[in-house]
Amino acid sequence: MTSAAILGCAGTTLGRGEAAFFAEADPWGFILFGRNVEDPDQLLRLTDALRDAVGWRAPILIDQEGGRVQRLKAPRWRSWPPPLTHADTAADPVRAMWLRARLQAMELQAVGIDVNCAPTCDVARPETHPFLRNRCFGRDPETVTANARATAEGLLAGGVLPVMKHMPGHGRAQVDSHKDLPRVDADKTALEADFAPFRALSDLPMGMTAHITYTALGGKPATQDAGLIWLIREEIGFDGLLMTDDISMEALGGSIPDRAAASIEAGCDVVLHCNGNRAEMEGCIDACGPMTDAAARRAEAALARRRLPELADPERLAFELSELDGNLSG
């Protein structure tokens, strides 16, 4: 049975031993990083090999946000400004976000990638940690919602599934969750502004949890808190596939198996493990177990929204985007 995990791989090619491990582990999907990327031909061979290992068209994810977080880089791919910078400078931010996402989807589809871990639906605030702030799409819930919706629709039009993150809201974090666990002391009323974009976009197929604690809502990280997963499902109304953020980030305590098991127990559908470390992946797979029936239903519904890209002329799209925003490079 398919494991409730999304795994990374070690390098730019898939070795025989790694392929055999993936065949046995049968993760639901894969995620790629800069260490996996050389050029388009190599990347297409790698995505084909990953799918061959598990024997089906498993989803392959990447973070192609723009700014610091883009795994496909110039000169072989377009270079993108950070989302907040782009939204601030575009003459028509909503249209610019759609065009940007549509062009990103073209590049991803061409190398066999069909899921982009975007848009970041967190609300940027003066106190938001720099690791996150310019990855956001606005400074208020309404702007974030409009720009994130356009991004999601542009990706979907290009045959790429979006993943909205970081649920239920990471914008108040003042530390980098890659290194430490953010703690937010705002009350529930104030937090409603953080939840608002996710509620407005709750129809999207996939979402990612935040490694963050809210003292007003319990003491556990959202990824491992059953009460906060309930909030995502019932109050925010999200019934799509819910994945964790990377469980190898230092925001979470305990071993990798402990982190994975706690996330599944709390109600996440799948666990994301990114660094490609074989021993850690083995522990993750053992702790995750197979997907639950509910997770499998949500996964099937998400993948049902993969579609052939709509016909479009990339040169015309790029020209229109350049007319809206002079800061775009590539």
Side-chain angles (χ1 to χ4, degrees):
M1 296 178 65
T2 301
S3 297
I6 299 169
L7 302 179
C9 60
T12 56
T13 61
L14 192 63
R16 185 174 300 175
E18 196 174 24
F21 164 68
F22 289 143
E24 181 178 357
D26 195 20
W28 182 73
F30 300 96
I31 186 164
L32 301 179
F33 284 82
R35 68 178 182 270
N36 308 121
V37 177
E38 287 180 346
D39 58 62
D41 289 341
Q42 166 270 324
L43 193 50
L44 185 57
R45 289 192 297 271
L46 178 60
T47 55
D48 285 344
L50 289 168
R51 290 186 170 117
D52 287 345
V54 293
W56 69 289
R57 194 163 69 94
I60 296 182
L61 294 70
I62 203 164
D63 296 281
Q64 191 70 356
E65 297 179 12
R68 301 184 316 281
V69 184
Q70 51 188 329
R71 314 307 183 194
L72 309 187
K73 297 182 178 182
R76 295 181 175 91
W77 293 276
R78 289 180 176 86
S79 182
W80 303 99
L84 189 61
T85 301
H86 198 171
D88 283 345
T89 57
D92 181 347
V94 171
R95 179 62 178 169
M97 294 303 103
W98 188 93
L99 290 164
R100 164 192 178 112
R102 184 66 183 84
L103 287 164
Q104 288 173 338
M106 286 183 177
E107 294 189 329
L108 297 177
Q109 271 280 333
V111 292
I113 297 168
D114 55 7
V115 182
N116 190 9
C117 296
T120 299
C121 299
D122 307 308
V123 178
R125 303 178 182 277
E127 69 269 24
T128 303
H129 191 279
F131 100 92
L132 178 67
R133 193 170 192 277
N134 68 2
R135 298 165 57 194
C136 301
F137 282 81
R139 299 171 182 81
D140 60 80
E142 296 77 18
T143 301
V144 171
T145 297
N147 290 333
R149 170 69 71 183
T151 297
E153 294 296 339
L155 291 170
L156 286 164
V160 172
L161 297 178
V163 179
M164 62 173 174
K165 57 191 188 186
H166 306 84
M167 302 183 79
H170 210 303
R172 296 177 193 267
Q174 298 183 45
V175 300
D176 182 350
S177 57
H178 292 85
K179 301 176 181 178
D180 203 354
L181 179 63
R183 172 189 169 111
V184 172
D185 294 324
D187 62 27
K188 176 72 180 299
T189 300
L191 289 171
E192 286 297 327
D194 300 68
F195 304 159
F198 298 102
R199 183 175 287 116
L201 297 167
S202 61
D203 60 301
L204 293 183
M206 302 170 74
M208 179 185 292
T209 62
H211 296 333
I212 189 169
T213 60
Y214 309 97
T215 57
L217 301 175
K220 294 182 181 179
T223 299
Q224 299 177 340
D225 191 313
L228 289 172
I229 302 301
W230 180 92
L231 183 148
I232 289 169
R233 295 298 191 195
E234 301 300 327
E235 293 194 17
I236 290 176
F238 178 68
D239 192 39
L241 185 81
L242 186 64
M243 69 183 70
T244 71
D245 203 345
D246 180 13
I247 63 163
S248 63
M249 291 163 60
E250 294 307 310
L252 302 179
S255 67
I256 292 295
D258 288 344
R259 298 175 188 184
S263 301
I264 295 295
E265 184 178 356
C268 293
D269 292 319
V270 290
V271 167
L272 180 65
H273 183 276
C274 295
N275 66 23
N277 179 290
R278 174 72 171 273
E280 288 189 6
M281 290 192 291
E282 290 173 351
C284 178
I285 288 292
D286 289 343
C288 288
M291 296 180 78
T292 66
D293 290 344
R297 173 186 60 79
R298 296 185 186 110
E300 183 178 0
L303 294 184
R305 296 182 65 177
R306 291 192 294 196
R307 63 178 192 249
L308 292 175
E310 298 172 6
L311 293 177
D313 181 343
E315 292 185 2
R316 291 185 65 179
L317 295 178
F319 176 77
E320 183 183 354
L321 185 55
S322 70
E323 292 289 291
L324 293 175
D325 191 298
N327 284 346
L328 181 68
S329 61

